[in-house]
Amino acid sequence: MPVETLTYETPQFLLKLIGNDFNCLRLIGEALGVSVASREGWVRIEGDEAGIAAAREVFAQLERVRRQGGEMSPGIVRLVVESVQRETGDAPAEAIMQLKLLGSGKRPPVLAKTRSQIAYVQAMRECEVVFGVGPAGTGKTYLAMAQGLHALKEKLVQRLVLTRPAVEAGEALGFLPGDLKEKIFPYLRPLYDALYDMLEPEEAERLIERGSIEIAPLAYMRGRTLKNAFIILDEAQNTTTEQMLMFLTRLGDGARCVVTGDPSQVDLRRHVQSGLKEAVELLQDVEGVRFVSFVTKDIVRLPVVQRIIEAYQTGRTRKSVPQRLKEAEEEGKDSCSPSDM
């Protein structure tokens, strides 16, 4: 059986090439039908000629990304493998690096790691309004933040505005300690976390103090017109229909916005329709608006997160029709007032 060996300058370079995860060698081998083994600074590929050629191309594309400064990860390895398997003649390394965001001497560039993420970044560069819809852990907010900071640094916009609805996820806002600012902060914390992950703390604080970056609850957007700004509405599944319309009509000249949300994690009260759900239904054919859907295979957190979400989806789809009808009947009774009876 044919065998080919690829040799790299150091074992450390090879390890970084596969995202510091030797499981990626098994992933490549299983996907392409070859045996892949590694030791020191070399990779040994055994299989038929077509499989070896495909594996060779995968490692060549990974090497291009790595040598251009990309930080490798299992997600990028999977993306390159899928691209080579499709045999479309595209160059995944070029597609990944052309859409890289940020990056400096201290922080590596932010890279799209799945096909949906590539489509998402392209949409944010081409359209005024982009909806990123899908499960948690797919990079919706993180990539939107990276694109917003990229636009700010490139002076494509003057401000980056980050907002979220302050909706309780099972806990009452009024019972949290502190003043109003301290009560609201926990709802905005994920936005701060993403910001400080991409920028040095001193730079982030400087941009916030100058007003170049604003982080505020959605209620603070009412009555404003946001010009020359990149606006991100996170956790949009927890907006009401009125809040979503209010937000989308804040956009002024030179503004762009990204709306992110997971329809499976709505924390609104029963009988209150999600503004994200209505927007998905009404805005599909509106010029300048683009929707990018994410699925469980786009999850870039720990692999166990993907398995957990898939288990929940499977369990919920198994719910019997009689049970769903019973719940719908009970909801109908709850909505009736005494005067209606």
Side-chain angles (χ1 to χ4, degrees), residues 181-238:
K181 182 178 180 181
E182 292 170 330
K183 290 176 186 288
I184 289 172
F185 179 78
Y187 294 93
L188 305 177
R189 184 59 186 263
L191 298 176
Y192 281 98
D193 289 343
L195 180 64
Y196 284 103
D197 192 49
M198 295 178 195
L199 298 177
E200 294 298 323
E202 299 79 12
E203 183 180 8
E205 292 293 344
R206 185 170 64 253
L207 290 171
I208 292 173
E209 289 176 3
R210 275 194 341 219
S212 298
I213 296 178
E214 177 186 349
I215 305 178
L218 180 59
Y220 288 24
M221 298 296 109
R222 188 173 296 278
R224 302 177 61 184
T225 300
L226 301 171
K227 299 180 179 180
N228 300 312
F230 191 100
I231 311 113
I232 301 172
L233 170 58
D234 192 31
E235 296 291 332
Q237 76 274 5
N238 288 328

Side-chain angles (χ1 to χ4, degrees), residues 6 29 32 35 57 83-84 94 131 157 180 187 195 219 269 271 280 309 314-315 321:
L6 306 177
L32 303 178
S35 173
E57 179 62 16
S83 298
V84 171
E94 278 67 27
F131 285 79
V157 296
L180 179 61
Y187 294 93
L195 180 64
R269 296 188 307 275
H271 310 308
V280 171
I309 291 176
T314 301
V321 173

